[in-house]
Amino acid sequence: MKGRFGVFGGQYVPETLMPAVIELEAAFDEAWSDAAFRDELDRLLRTYVGRPTPLTDARRLAAAVGLRRVLLKREDLTHTGAHKINSALGQALLAKRMGKRRVIAETGAGQHGVATATACALLGIECVVYMGTLDMERQRPNVFRMRLLGAEVRAVDAGSRTLKDAVNEAIRDWVTNVRGTYYLLGSAIGMHPYPTIVRELQSVIGREARAQAVDLLGRLPDVVTACVGGGSNAIGTFAAFLDDRGVALRGVEAGGAGLETGRHAASITGGTVGVLHGTKTYVLQDDAGQIRETHSVSAGLDYPGVGPEHAALHDSGRVTYVARTDAEALEGFGLLCRTEGIIPALEPAHAIADLPFVAREHGHDVDVVVCLSGRGDKDLDTVMRSA
Amino acid sequence: MTLTTITGSERISRAFGRARAEGRMAIAIYLTVGFPDRATTPALLRAALDGGADLIELGVPFSDPMADGTTIQRAGEAALRGGVRLEDCVADGASLVSERDATVLLMGYLNPFLRFGPERLAAECVRSGIAGVIVPDLPAEESGELDTVLVPADVARIDLYAPTTPDERLARLLPAARGFVYCVSLTGVTGARAGLSDDVRPFVQRVRGHTTLPVAVGFGIGRPEHVRALRGIADGVIVGSAAIDAVAQGGERALRDLVRSLREAGAA
C-alpha cells in the first residue's frame, strides 16, 4: 500500500492537509526523477555542504572498544555540522521548485533548524522554525545561529516543551497556511511522503559510506550502526546496506535514565504501536493512548516516536535496535574526544557508547561503520554541566 | 436496554430533521470532557442541552491535538491532568443518552481510540447509544481500521472536509458519508474567530453538489452573527472553543446563554 512500510506509516492527517501531502508526493516523485534537479542538488552537496564526507579509520577508538576496525562516517564535517543539511537542502530546493515562498520547520537539538535556516538563506526563502522552550534553553547557540541566518524562531511552550510539541505547532501552522507554505520536516517521521523523502535525501550517507568502506577494507563491513531518534541519519545510512544480507545493521536509541525508569526516548525498545504526527509506528504512550513525556540528555533524540520504516525493519528483524543510557552516551562522548580528537554530538555518542556491546555480540574481529551524524559544539554546555 | 433500536445515523438524521422542521439550524456543541474538571462535565452537558443544543460532541482529550487551537489544547491539558480517559467520555455520553435521549458523538484523535480498541469502541458506542465518532486526524484513506467495525455496528464515523478539498475528492468520498457532513470553515485549527471565513459559502455550495446529507459547519464558529450569516447555507453549526470559553468565564449559565443565543440566531 502507498506510503506504508508493512503495517507502519500512512497519512493520519487532518483533511485540510490531504491535498497538500498528495501534491507533495507528486512533486517529489517528479523532481527526484528529473536529472536537472538531481544535478543541482549534487552540485550544492559537493560545493556547499562539502560532500563527500570522509570515512575516518578510528584506530585508537577501535583498540579502546575491542573491535578490529571502526570507520566513522563523518557527517560532523558537513557545513552546519550535522547530516540534517542533506535533507534540508534537498527539501528547500523542492519547496522552491513547487513555488512555495515560505518554509516552516520544527527542531529539537536545533541542528535541523540551523540546516533549514541555512538552506533558506542560500535559496532566498522565508523561514520560520518552531522549537520547544526546554530545547531553546539547552541549545541556545543554535537559537542564535538560526536568527543570524535570518530565520524566525518561534518558542513552543506547550506539553513537554520539546521536539514533539514543536512538531505539533509546525503542523498547526501548516494547516493554517497550507496553500503557500512548505513544511520542511526534519526526520524520517511523520505522514507519507516525508519518511520516504527524508530517506532518499539522506541515503547519500550510506551510498558514500558503502563505497568508501569497500575501498578501505576490500569488502563490506560486518556491522553498520547509527543512533536513532526519529531515525533520519540511521535510515540514510542503512538504506545502502539493506540488501547486503551479511552486514548486520544496528540502531541505537536513547535510553535516558534507563528503560526500567520510564525516563527515556527509546520508542522501539521501550514503546508500543500507535499513531503520532501522521504515522503509525512505535511510540511511547500510556495505557490510555496518551503520548508520554520523554527524556534524553540529547535533545535530538528526545522524541516519543520513530520513523515508520525503522518500525518495519525492527519487526522484520533486518535491523537490531538497542538503547544506551545518558551516562553511557556521556562516556562515549568522552571516549571519542580522547581517542580520536573528535568531539561528537551527544546523539551519535550513543552509537559510540554502543561499540563495546557490538564487540560483545559480534566478537572482536569485526569491522564496524558508525554514522557520526554531527559534531558536539552545541552540546558543550550540557556535557560541562553533567561533568 | 432498548437504546439500540435506533442506529447512530438515524439518531443524527432525527436531530437535524427536528431542527429543519422547526425552521432553524441545528446547533452542535463540543465540550472537552474533564474541563474544567471531571465532576463538572455532566452538569455542563445538561446545560448545553437546556440551552437548546441539538447534538453534543464529547471531546476526548489527547496529549498532542494537532488540529486544535489554544482553547481546546488548554482544556485538554486540564482534562488530562485530572486523569480523564475515554472510558469517562463514554460514561458521560451514556448518561446523556439515557437521561435526555440526546444525540451524542465522540470527537477525538485516533491514538486513544486505537489504544481503547476499535471493536471495543464500537461495542461501547452501541451499548451507550452514542451515535457517532469524529476523528480529525483520520482522513478517508486511513479510515478502514475503524470503519470495519463501526459500519456494521451502525455507528456513524463523520468525515471532515476542508476548503482545500478538491471537487474530484468530494465527488469520490462524499457518497460514503453517513450522518452528516462536517465542513471545516477555514484552513486552520479550531478556535474562536472574529469574522467568518470567505471560504465558507463557496465551499459549502461545492459540498452540497455531492451530497443530500445535512451539512454542518465548524471551526471558528462561535458568535450569533456567524450563525446568522450561515442561515440558508448550512443545516447546522458546530461550536467548540467558544463554548469552552463561555464555560471558563461563566460556567453553566454562560454556556446555556451562549447556546440559546446561537439557536435563536439560527432560527428563520
Side-chain angles (χ1 to χ4, degrees):
Chain A
M1 208 156 108
K2 201 182 67 170
R4 289 276 172 182
F5 305 95
V7 299
F8 302 104
Q11 291 179 313
Y12 298 90
V13 297
E15 170 65 22
T16 308
L17 292 180
M18 279 306 293
V21 295
I22 292 167
E23 176 199 11
L24 176 60
E25 180 185 19
F28 178 73
D29 287 349
E30 185 260 335
W32 206 231
S33 57
D34 177 359
F37 180 84
R38 300 285 287 264
D39 286 349
E40 174 65 358
L41 178 58
D42 285 347
R43 185 185 69 80
L44 287 172
L45 289 176
R46 212 169 47 245
T47 64
Y48 186 73
V49 173
R51 304 208 71 92
T53 57
L55 190 71
T56 300
D57 192 357
R59 290 168 190 248
R60 280 174 36 79
L61 174 65
V65 298
L67 290 164
R68 186 168 58 207
R69 303 287 273 279
V70 174
L71 308 176
L72 302 175
K73 180 57 176 167
R74 300 294 304 279
E75 295 303 295
D76 60 315
L77 294 179
T78 56
H79 178 44
T80 71
H83 72 290
K84 294 291 187 187
I85 190 73
N86 302 324
S87 165
L89 199 54
Q91 288 195 67
L93 278 177
L94 180 62
K96 192 154 189 173
R97 184 184 175 97
M98 292 172 72
K100 307 285 185 187
R101 295 193 183 162
R102 178 173 180 269
V103 159
I104 56 169
E106 81 297 330
T107 197
Q111 291 304 104
H112 174 62
V114 167
T116 303
T118 299
C120 287
L122 177 70
L123 300 175
I125 306 172
E126 181 191 345
C127 178
V128 173
V129 180
Y130 289 93
M131 189 169 189
T133 49
L134 179 64
D135 289 337
M136 288 177 76
E137 281 162 30
R138 33 181 192 180
Q139 307 286 344
R140 285 171 50 128
N142 273 343
V143 175
F144 188 57
R145 279 188 190 96
M146 287 184 268
R147 289 180 174 150
L148 279 176
L149 292 160
E152 181 191 340
V153 181
R154 292 191 186 164
V156 180
D157 197 28
S160 58
R161 302 182 294 131
T162 60
L163 181 55
K164 156 180 99 77
D165 311 284
V167 175
N168 289 336
E169 208 54 38
I171 292 175
R172 290 183 190 116
D173 181 315
W174 201 27
V175 168
T176 305
N177 302 296
V178 60
R179 291 183 175 103
T181 294
Y182 183 95
Y183 179 21
L184 207 158
L185 192 51
S187 193
I189 58 164
M191 62 295 279
H192 174 70
Y194 285 106
T196 299
I197 290 178
V198 173
R199 179 198 63 215
E200 289 300 305
L201 292 170
Q202 293 294 1
S203 63
V204 65
I205 304 173
R207 274 198 308 278
E208 287 177 8
R210 189 178 184 281
Q212 291 165 322
V214 168
D215 206 34
L216 200 74
L217 302 170
R219 59 183 193 83
L220 286 166
D222 302 293
V223 184
V224 174
T225 82
C227 63
V228 178
S232 69
N233 90 88
I235 203 69
T237 306
F238 296 163
F241 296 96
L242 286 176
D243 294 335
D244 299 323
R245 290 286 146 177
V247 178
L249 303 175
R250 193 169 166 99
V252 186
E253 296 193 301
L259 293 189
E260 69 288 353
T261 66
R263 296 186 65 238
H264 60 82
S267 304
I268 293 179
T269 48
T272 48
V273 176
V275 170
L276 175 65
H277 294 148
T279 195
K280 182 176 278 189
T281 184
Y282 284 96
V283 301
L284 297 173
Q285 60 184 326
D286 67 15
D287 69 345
Q290 305 297 339
I291 304 304
R292 274 174 30 203
E293 297 215 348
T294 53
H295 166 79
S296 170
V297 69
S298 107
L301 303 182
D302 207 350
Y303 179 74
V306 66
E309 192 165 5
H310 285 294
L313 289 168
H314 167 72
D315 275 18
S316 75
R318 178 65 188 94
V319 180
T320 301
Y321 294 88
V322 298
R324 300 273 75 98
T325 64
D326 287 351
E328 289 169 329
L330 286 162
E331 273 177 43
F333 179 95
L335 180 65
L336 188 61
C337 292
R338 291 189 306 274
T339 56
E340 299 291 338
I342 296 170
I343 300 175
L346 282 171
E347 290 81 10
H350 287 73
I352 301 296
D354 183 54
L355 290 172
F357 297 86
V358 172
R360 203 174 296 170
E361 283 174 37
H362 294 268
H364 300 293
D365 296 328
V366 295
D367 303 325
V368 182
V369 168
V370 182
C371 181
L372 193 64
S373 58
R375 68 178 183 227
D377 311 45
K378 68 183 176 62
D379 295 319
L380 295 184
D381 273 356
T382 305
V383 175
M384 280 189 283
R385 269 202 304 275
S386 61
Chain B
M1 290 214 278
T2 55
L3 296 171
T4 55
T5 52
I6 174 167
T7 71
S9 299
E10 285 164 359
R11 205 175 266 283
I12 291 166
S13 147
R14 188 181 67 182
F16 278 94
R18 277 180 190 155
R20 186 183 312 142
E22 292 169 19
R24 58 181 182 81
M25 293 172 73
I27 307 295
I29 296 295
Y30 169 102
L31 290 172
T32 300
V33 175
F35 177 80
D37 54 62
R38 177 77 187 86
T40 314
T41 299
L44 291 170
L45 296 171
R46 286 192 287 270
L49 290 175
D50 292 342
D54 298 285
L55 300 94
I56 296 289
E57 289 184 13
L58 295 174
V60 183
F62 181 51
S63 53
D64 293 84
M66 65 179 172
D68 283 306
T70 314
T71 301
I72 294 178
Q73 283 178 48
R74 298 280 181 262
E77 284 170 14
L80 290 176
R81 276 197 302 275
V84 167
R85 301 170 62 98
L86 182 50
E87 289 88 337
D88 300 310
C89 306
V90 170
D92 282 358
S95 307
L96 218 52
V97 174
S98 65
E99 288 169 24
R100 301 285 190 99
D101 197 21
T103 303
V104 177
L105 299 102
L106 294 173
M107 181 161 187
Y109 293 85
L110 181 61
N111 201 53
F113 289 131
L114 287 184
R115 192 72 185 174
F116 191 76
E119 283 168 22
R120 187 175 159 214
L121 174 68
E124 288 290 302
C125 286
V126 169
R127 194 180 62 77
S128 317
I130 291 173
V133 178
I134 308 175
V135 188
D137 59 343
L138 192 71
E141 282 82 349
E142 303 291 358
S143 64
E145 196 169 357
L146 288 192
D147 287 349
T148 304
V149 292
L150 294 181
V151 171
D154 281 322
V155 177
R157 194 187 53 73
I158 310 297
D159 272 324
L160 291 89
Y161 294 92
T164 53
T165 309
D167 279 333
E168 61 79 18
R169 191 172 162 80
L170 289 175
R172 183 158 46 86
L173 299 178
L174 275 171
R178 51 199 71 233
F180 72 96
V181 178
Y182 190 138
C183 287
V184 177
S185 81
L186 42 78
T187 52
V189 295
T190 61
R193 312 285 205 281
L196 200 60
S197 160
D198 294 336
D199 287 336
V200 179
R201 181 187 288 265
F203 169 46
V204 173
Q205 279 164 356
R206 285 200 296 126
V207 168
R208 291 257 191 231
H210 302 283
T211 186
T212 53
L213 286 176
V215 175
V217 175
F219 283 48
I221 310 296
R223 299 182 179 187
E225 57 264 35
H226 299 156
V227 180
R228 267 192 293 276
L230 287 167
R231 257 190 344 224
I233 298 173
D235 302 302
V237 292
I238 302 149
V239 176
S241 297
I244 289 169
D245 285 340
V247 168
Q249 282 155 21
E252 288 174 44
R253 176 187 293 261
L255 176 65
R256 194 165 44 239
D257 291 348
L258 172 72
V259 177
R260 194 168 284 145
S261 70
L262 296 170
R263 179 163 158 143
E264 282 164 8

